[in-house]
Amino acid sequence: MEKLQKALLAWYRENPRSLPWRGEKDPYRILVAEVLLQQTRTAQAIPYYHRFLARFPTLKALREASSEEVLRAWQGAGYYRRALHLHRLAQEVEALPRSHAELLKLPGLGPYTAAAVASLAFGERVAAVDGNVRRVLSRVFALENPAPRALWNLAQGLLPPGEAPGEWNQALMDLGATVCLPRRPLCPRCPIAPFCRGRVDPGRYPGGRKREVREEALAALVLWGREGVYLTRLEGRFAGLYGVPLFPQEELPWRVRGFGVDPRFAGEVRHALTHRRLRVAVYVASWDGEGMVPGEKPLPKLMEKVLRQAQAFLAHEGILPFPHAKTHGVKPLEPG
Ligand code: SF4
């Protein structure tokens, strides 16, 4: 055990990843990084990390912003509920609590994020087990589909005495991200290969059933007019953001009747979410209904794609496309 710990820490000290939040001690900045990394790949997260912190450098600045401003700063990073949770959290606490147990009570913080903040910012001896760490430990100890609690206990027992726990947590995460890769682990380069029981057949661990990716057929209705595009506030996973009406493909006839339009098919866009693949048929129609006022609104990436598709179609038809990022209606309007 001790040899494994020493080997991994020595490797980490020589090969740390250069990330903007490395060495950071400000708990708020660590929190923003960890929340972004929950669902966004590291390389993609970096520009959003800088943009969000430039706009909201402190918890206080975040507290004083409107949720729309917060969503706009998060725009493009996806999984917007994370940004709304951060915003709510800023309203609940003056400063981030120092312990894992207290951090866990805050909105949007699961065991991993709370442990990462507690160990990195406050030096608490608590193991942070994310997907990377789960994979590394499952392989090292040859565990097939280990239960989360059992894995956490194992990780907790592995924390080296006397070392900064944040450093150890990061060492394990880095090994998972750069060496013990999901598909092709680089075992010959691995500093803990001599201690790894799963090395003979790493693909077997952690195993477990993969969640199926479902395909969904949707339709989006782009109603455009002199003042812009009709947008409504979205619900569900895009709550707080804006978009054109989006619904299951089979609902198109009655949705169209509700608005009293005769739309044209403008092409299809595809969009991937964690466990769903969306195929969205884009329909366009000119419309002079109420509720289209100018003003920038935060849009999810899917809606940007839909509007770009509609714009391209209209431009091809010789119709002056609407400036999609500038003029959007905000008044929610239900069809029918
Ligand atoms: Fe992962 Fe291979 Fe290292 Fe084991 S030896 S921890 S499987 S990279």
Side-chain angles (χ1 to χ4, degrees):
M1 182 84 88
E2 208 185 311
K3 282 185 184 160
L4 182 154
Q5 291 164 335
K6 280 205 173 123
L8 183 58
L9 281 170
W11 169 84
Y12 174 69
R13 284 170 191 154
E14 273 181 25
N15 303 276
R17 278 190 295 170
S18 151
L19 299 170
W21 45 85
R22 274 291 146 87
E24 183 60 66
K25 284 291 163 214
D26 177 344
Y28 168 67
R29 297 175 80 88
I30 293 172
L31 174 68
V32 171
E34 291 301 336
V35 169
L36 266 167
L37 292 172
Q38 285 170 359
Q39 272 116 345
T40 307
R41 283 176 200 280
T42 308
Q44 284 171 342
I46 291 172
Y48 294 110
Y49 171 80
H50 289 307
R51 189 171 86 186
F52 195 83
L53 287 173
R55 179 67 191 77
F56 310 114
T58 59
L59 207 54
K60 182 169 179 286
L62 183 60
R63 182 179 313 130
E64 287 165 359
S66 71
S67 57
E68 209 156 298
E69 286 171 306
V70 175
L71 288 168
R72 210 173 297 140
W74 200 265
Q75 189 162 346
Y79 298 92
Y80 294 88
R81 213 168 289 169
R82 297 180 295 176
L84 294 174
H85 277 145
L86 270 178
H87 191 219
R88 229 178 72 214
L89 175 157
Q91 271 139 13
E92 283 184 17
V93 290
E94 278 286 315
L96 284 170
R98 301 178 67 88
S99 77
H100 179 242
E102 288 300 312
L103 284 160
L104 257 182
K105 295 179 190 162
L106 297 177
L109 266 74
Y112 165 74
T113 312
V117 175
S119 63
L120 295 173
F122 302 119
E124 184 174 338
R125 282 180 56 77
V126 57
V129 181
D130 68 349
N132 281 329
V133 174
R134 177 173 186 266
R135 186 172 59 256
V136 172
L137 296 186
S138 302
R139 285 172 174 170
V140 171
F141 294 95
L143 303 171
E144 281 187 61
N145 208 11
R149 187 74 215 174
L151 197 71
W152 187 82
N153 286 338
L154 176 66
Q156 189 65 16
L158 264 185
L159 280 167
E163 299 287 349
E167 193 181 27
W168 172 256
N169 282 337
Q170 283 180 325
L172 268 179
M173 285 178 218
D174 273 20
L175 190 76
T178 61
V179 177
C180 194
L181 301 169
R183 289 213 189 97
R184 288 196 196 145
L186 309 171
C187 301
R189 280 172 39 190
C190 178
I192 55 171
F195 316 100
C196 179
R197 283 193 234 155
R199 187 166 50 129
V200 197
D201 186 10
R204 206 170 133 193
Y205 310 102
R209 263 189 308 140
K210 290 246 175 338
R211 260 176 82 175
E212 262 176 51
V213 177
R214 272 191 301 137
E215 191 157 284
E216 237 173 89
L218 302 173
L221 188 55
V222 180
L223 302 166
W224 60 277
R226 262 173 301 139
E227 288 183 73
V229 184
Y230 171 72
L231 291 191
T232 184
R233 253 191 122 98
L234 300 170
E235 300 291 333
R237 77 164 71 81
F238 298 130
L241 298 169
Y242 289 78
V244 304
L246 181 73
F247 37 81
Q249 174 87 56
E250 60 275 14
E251 289 181 14
L252 184 67
W254 74 263
R255 295 282 189 159
V256 159
R257 265 203 309 280
F259 285 105
V261 291
D262 182 16
R264 296 173 65 193
F265 177 65
E268 190 179 86
V269 299
R270 287 170 183 262
H271 191 70
L273 299 166
T274 316
H275 297 294
R276 298 203 299 160
R277 239 179 258 129
L278 307 182
R279 263 191 311 117
V280 183
V282 180
Y283 292 86
V284 296
S286 72
W287 194 59
D288 56 3
E290 294 284 306
M292 299 217 267
V293 295
E296 285 196 9
K297 294 289 164 202
L299 303 172
K301 238 178 203 152
L302 167 63
M303 286 299 161
E304 286 180 2
K305 285 187 192 169
V306 164
L307 290 173
R308 267 203 303 274
Q309 180 68 33
Q311 268 184 322
F313 174 80
L314 291 170
H316 184 257
E317 296 289 298
I319 298 167
L320 197 65
F322 45 85
H324 90 251
K326 287 249 163 8
T327 54
H328 297 309
V330 290
K331 191 173 149 199
L333 187 66
E334 287 306 315

